[in-house]
PDB file of all heavy atoms in Angstrom:
ATOM      1  N   SER A  91     -10.647   0.011  50.571  1.00  0.00           N
ATOM      2  CA  SER A  91      -9.877  -0.553  51.579  1.00  0.00           C
ATOM      3  C   SER A  91      -9.395   0.490  52.490  1.00  0.00           C
ATOM      4  O   SER A  91      -8.697   1.370  51.982  1.00  0.00           O
ATOM      5  CB  SER A  91      -8.677  -1.416  50.889  1.00  0.00           C
ATOM      6  OG  SER A  91      -9.167  -2.526  50.336  1.00  0.00           O
ATOM      7  N   SER A  92      -9.602   0.490  53.690  1.00  0.00           N
ATOM      8  CA  SER A  92      -9.165   1.464  54.714  1.00  0.00           C
ATOM      9  C   SER A  92      -8.312   1.033  55.662  1.00  0.00           C
ATOM     10  O   SER A  92      -8.219  -0.290  56.028  1.00  0.00           O
ATOM     11  CB  SER A  92     -10.508   2.086  55.293  1.00  0.00           C
ATOM     12  OG  SER A  92     -11.164   1.036  55.920  1.00  0.00           O
ATOM     13  N   CYS A  93      -7.423   1.929  56.142  1.00  0.00           N
ATOM     14  CA  CYS A  93      -6.550   1.563  57.262  1.00  0.00           C
ATOM     15  C   CYS A  93      -6.630   2.749  58.321  1.00  0.00           C
ATOM     16  O   CYS A  93      -6.246   3.805  58.052  1.00  0.00           O
ATOM     17  CB  CYS A  93      -5.056   1.493  56.845  1.00  0.00           C
ATOM     18  SG  CYS A  93      -3.846   1.007  58.017  1.00  0.00           S
ATOM     19  N   ASP A  94      -7.274   2.432  59.428  1.00  0.00           N
ATOM     20  CA  ASP A  94      -7.589   3.321  60.440  1.00  0.00           C
ATOM     21  C   ASP A  94      -8.511   4.494  59.738  1.00  0.00           C
ATOM     22  O   ASP A  94      -9.578   4.047  59.185  1.00  0.00           O
ATOM     23  CB  ASP A  94      -6.422   4.010  61.030  1.00  0.00           C
ATOM     24  CG  ASP A  94      -6.708   4.641  62.308  1.00  0.00           C
ATOM     25  OD1 ASP A  94      -7.848   4.531  62.782  1.00  0.00           O
ATOM     26  OD2 ASP A  94      -5.724   5.406  62.884  1.00  0.00           O
ATOM     27  N   ASN A  95      -8.155   5.653  59.723  1.00  0.00           N
ATOM     28  CA  ASN A  95      -8.972   6.794  59.199  1.00  0.00           C
ATOM     29  C   ASN A  95      -8.520   7.205  57.744  1.00  0.00           C
ATOM     30  O   ASN A  95      -8.969   8.154  57.193  1.00  0.00           O
ATOM     31  CB  ASN A  95      -8.962   8.042  59.957  1.00  0.00           C
ATOM     32  CG  ASN A  95      -9.544   7.751  61.365  1.00  0.00           C
ATOM     33  OD1 ASN A  95     -10.433   7.075  61.504  1.00  0.00           O
ATOM     34  ND2 ASN A  95      -8.980   8.385  62.388  1.00  0.00           N
ATOM     35  N   TYR A  96      -7.774   6.397  57.070  1.00  0.00           N
ATOM     36  CA  TYR A  96      -7.307   6.680  55.717  1.00  0.00           C
ATOM     37  C   TYR A  96      -7.851   5.696  54.700  1.00  0.00           C
ATOM     38  O   TYR A  96      -7.902   4.385  55.101  1.00  0.00           O
ATOM     39  CB  TYR A  96      -5.732   6.651  55.728  1.00  0.00           C
ATOM     40  CG  TYR A  96      -5.114   7.790  56.670  1.00  0.00           C
ATOM     41  CD1 TYR A  96      -4.683   7.354  57.888  1.00  0.00           C
ATOM     42  CD2 TYR A  96      -4.973   9.032  56.230  1.00  0.00           C
ATOM     43  CE1 TYR A  96      -4.206   8.312  58.777  1.00  0.00           C
ATOM     44  CE2 TYR A  96      -4.394  10.016  57.083  1.00  0.00           C
ATOM     45  CZ  TYR A  96      -4.026   9.575  58.346  1.00  0.00           C
ATOM     46  OH  TYR A  96      -3.475  10.543  59.204  1.00  0.00           O
ATOM     47  N   VAL A  97      -7.995   6.111  53.505  1.00  0.00           N
ATOM     48  CA  VAL A  97      -8.469   5.208  52.440  1.00  0.00           C
ATOM     49  C   VAL A  97      -7.181   4.707  51.796  1.00  0.00           C
ATOM     50  O   VAL A  97      -6.430   5.419  51.181  1.00  0.00           O
ATOM     51  CB  VAL A  97      -9.370   5.860  51.433  1.00  0.00           C
ATOM     52  CG1 VAL A  97      -9.657   4.982  50.253  1.00  0.00           C
ATOM     53  CG2 VAL A  97     -10.631   6.456  52.115  1.00  0.00           C
ATOM     54  N   GLU A  98      -6.880   3.394  51.895  1.00  0.00           N
ATOM     55  CA  GLU A  98      -5.753   2.956  51.363  1.00  0.00           C
ATOM     56  C   GLU A  98      -5.789   2.654  49.842  1.00  0.00           C
ATOM     57  O   GLU A  98      -4.868   2.819  49.137  1.00  0.00           O
ATOM     58  CB  GLU A  98      -5.369   1.584  52.106  1.00  0.00           C
ATOM     59  CG  GLU A  98      -4.055   0.819  51.650  1.00  0.00           C
ATOM     60  CD  GLU A  98      -3.763  -0.371  52.479  1.00  0.00           C
ATOM     61  OE1 GLU A  98      -4.583  -0.734  53.280  1.00  0.00           O
ATOM     62  OE2 GLU A  98      -2.727  -1.000  52.161  1.00  0.00           O
ATOM     63  N   CYS A  99      -6.993   2.043  49.495  1.00  0.00           N
ATOM     64  CA  CYS A  99      -7.214   1.736  47.993  1.00  0.00           C
ATOM     65  C   CYS A  99      -8.630   1.915  47.714  1.00  0.00           C
ATOM     66  O   CYS A  99      -9.541   1.217  48.395  1.00  0.00           O
ATOM     67  CB  CYS A  99      -6.649   0.304  47.707  1.00  0.00           C
ATOM     68  SG  CYS A  99      -7.023  -0.130  45.927  1.00  0.00           S
TER      69      CYS A  99
END
Side-chain angles (χ1 to χ4, degrees):
S91 293
S92 57
C93 182
D94 200 10
N95 295 325
Y96 299 94
V97 177
E98 183 180 1
C99 179

